[in-house]
Amino acid sequence: MSKRTTLTAQERLYERNRRAGYGRYLFLGAIGTVVILVVPFISNLALSFFSWRGGRSRMRWVGLGNYIDLLHDDQFWVSFANSLYSIIAMMVIPTLFGLIIAAVLFDYIGRVFGGKTASFLRACYYIPQILPVGVAGILWGWILNTQTGAINRILAGVFGLAQPPDWLGNPDIAMYAVMLFVIWSQIGYPVVIFMSALGRVDPELYEAASLDGAGWWRRFTAITIPQIKPEIFVVVLTCTVSALKLFGPIYVLTKGGPQNMTYVPSYYSYNMFFVRSQIGYGAAIASVLAVIITIVAAIIYVFQNRAEAKENEGVAA
């Protein structure tokens, strides 16, 4: 009896300590969220209702004036349209190719050449992801250089092109050049995530499919993709949000040029803040971007939950 009472007291003490630990963890997390996210967002939102040049200049209340001007700002809509290119380069293409590359590395390279070879190739794909954007930007600035760039030298030497493209100076193709850089730097992230996800897939599923005569593509579509759906949603969500916040590649390669054709909302907001000193207008752009990111993230999250609910219902049935 006494021993059982002692154990119960120890269990209660453990439970209290556990709850206290969770409470401290949640409290610190809430403080960090308020300081890092909530306060800056509210401050930025407040600034968006003023016209202010910064410093000691007078702040003038304009209400929704900055947002109304934004609706009629052609440059903002160009930057917003470029966000679609960013999503394609940072989410769509890397996710699709990342799936295929990860499956090939895991299901073919790993089996034929060994796990070490697959791991080495995975690391090679991931290296651009961990390079500082400034270093990667200098590298790609050289690759895309009109006169001495590697791409134009290949086009001139191998294909005999007399006038190779001005990748970063031509308004019609500059955004596509930035997309090449973004794809190169981003594709390693989904490869690593998907290869980790494939490690938890039951090998017997692949063996059974092989015995039934299923080829690699059939196994990929019928087994690989359904089994790693949670990781696919994570990659889609994080890459989409990152694409909407794209800043570094634009800053190091084009700075919004040529002719402002590579502006994206985050760089446009930065330009208004720090270059043109239109603080209120830059804050309005940043506020709109924050709302768009929140809505897009919520849509992806709801879609993921509904997909998981349907799968659970199918399993239960």
Side-chain angles (χ1 to χ4, degrees):
M1 180 76 67
S2 60
K3 184 177 180 181
R4 180 58 189 167
T5 303
T6 303
L7 290 174
T8 303
Q10 290 177 350
E11 291 172 355
R12 290 176 179 174
L13 179 62
Y14 171 78
E15 185 66 20
R16 284 198 300 270
N17 291 337
R18 187 174 67 87
R19 290 179 179 177
Y22 283 140
R24 287 191 293 269
Y25 175 79
L26 294 174
F27 176 75
L28 293 174
I31 293 295
T33 301
V34 169
V35 172
I36 297 173
L37 295 178
V38 178
V39 172
F41 177 75
I42 293 175
S43 301
N44 182 83
L45 186 63
L47 284 174
S48 69
F49 297 113
F50 290 89
S51 176
W52 184 37
R53 303 291 297 180
R56 296 184 178 180
S57 62
R58 179 175 172 271
M59 297 179 67
R60 183 170 58 88
W61 172 265
V62 294
L64 296 176
N66 287 323
Y67 294 96
I68 294 172
D69 292 341
L70 203 61
L71 293 175
H72 301 91
D73 186 353
D74 293 337
Q75 188 60 65
F76 170 75
W77 292 110
V78 169
S79 69
F80 187 74
N82 285 338
S83 291
L84 301 179
Y85 289 100
S86 302
I87 292 173
I88 292 172
M90 207 164 194
M91 187 276 286
V92 178
I93 295 177
T95 300
L96 293 177
F97 280 88
L99 268 172
I100 296 173
I101 292 171
V104 170
L105 290 177
F106 186 86
D107 194 31
Y108 179 74
I109 301 296
R111 296 175 186 273
V112 176
F113 299 99
K116 290 184 178 180
T117 302
S119 298
F120 173 76
L121 293 174
R122 176 181 61 184
C124 291
Y125 279 109
Y126 194 68
I127 286 175
Q129 180 75 24
I130 61 177
L131 278 178
V133 68
V135 175
I138 292 173
L139 173 65
W140 272 84
W142 170 75
I143 292 174
L144 298 171
N145 185 275
T146 306
Q147 303 298 328
T148 60
I151 293 180
N152 279 359
R153 289 209 169 192
I154 293 172
L155 291 176
V158 178
F159 299 99
L161 226 63
Q163 292 183 337
D166 185 1
W167 296 101
L168 299 178
N170 187 337
D172 296 327
I173 62 173
M175 195 63 202
Y176 297 106
V178 174
M179 289 175 67
L180 283 176
F181 169 65
V182 173
I183 292 169
W184 171 81
S185 63
Q186 183 68 17
I187 199 166
Y189 170 67
V191 169
V192 169
I193 298 295
F194 293 147
M195 282 194 70
S196 299
L198 289 170
R200 64 175 178 77
V201 179
D202 189 354
E204 294 182 358
L205 295 174
Y206 292 110
E207 294 175 4
S210 298
L211 292 175
D212 290 339
W216 181 87
W217 181 252
R218 180 59 180 168
R219 296 198 304 270
F220 175 72
T221 55
I223 298 175
T224 301
I225 293 179
Q227 290 292 317
I228 64 173
K229 274 186 179 179
E231 287 77 9
I232 294 176
F233 276 115
V234 169
V235 169
V236 168
L237 176 60
T238 54
C239 290
T240 302
V241 171
S242 297
L244 292 172
K245 298 190 300 180
L246 184 70
F247 177 83
I250 301 296
Y251 182 80
V252 299
L253 285 179
T254 65
K255 289 185 169 55
Q259 300 179 19
N260 299 335
M261 291 304 293
T262 58
Y263 268 104
V264 291
S266 58
Y267 187 82
Y268 192 33
S269 176
Y270 159 82
N271 189 63
M272 287 296 174
F273 261 104
F274 299 105
V275 179
R276 303 186 188 181
S277 295
Q278 297 183 21
I279 308 299
Y281 197 67
I285 299 171
S287 297
V288 171
L289 180 59
V291 172
I292 292 173
I293 289 174
T294 302
I295 292 173
V296 170
I299 291 172
I300 296 174
Y301 182 74
V302 170
F303 183 77
Q304 177 185 3
N305 286 342
R306 288 182 178 178
E308 290 179 352
K310 287 183 181 179
E311 286 186 2
N312 294 334
E313 289 175 2
V315 172

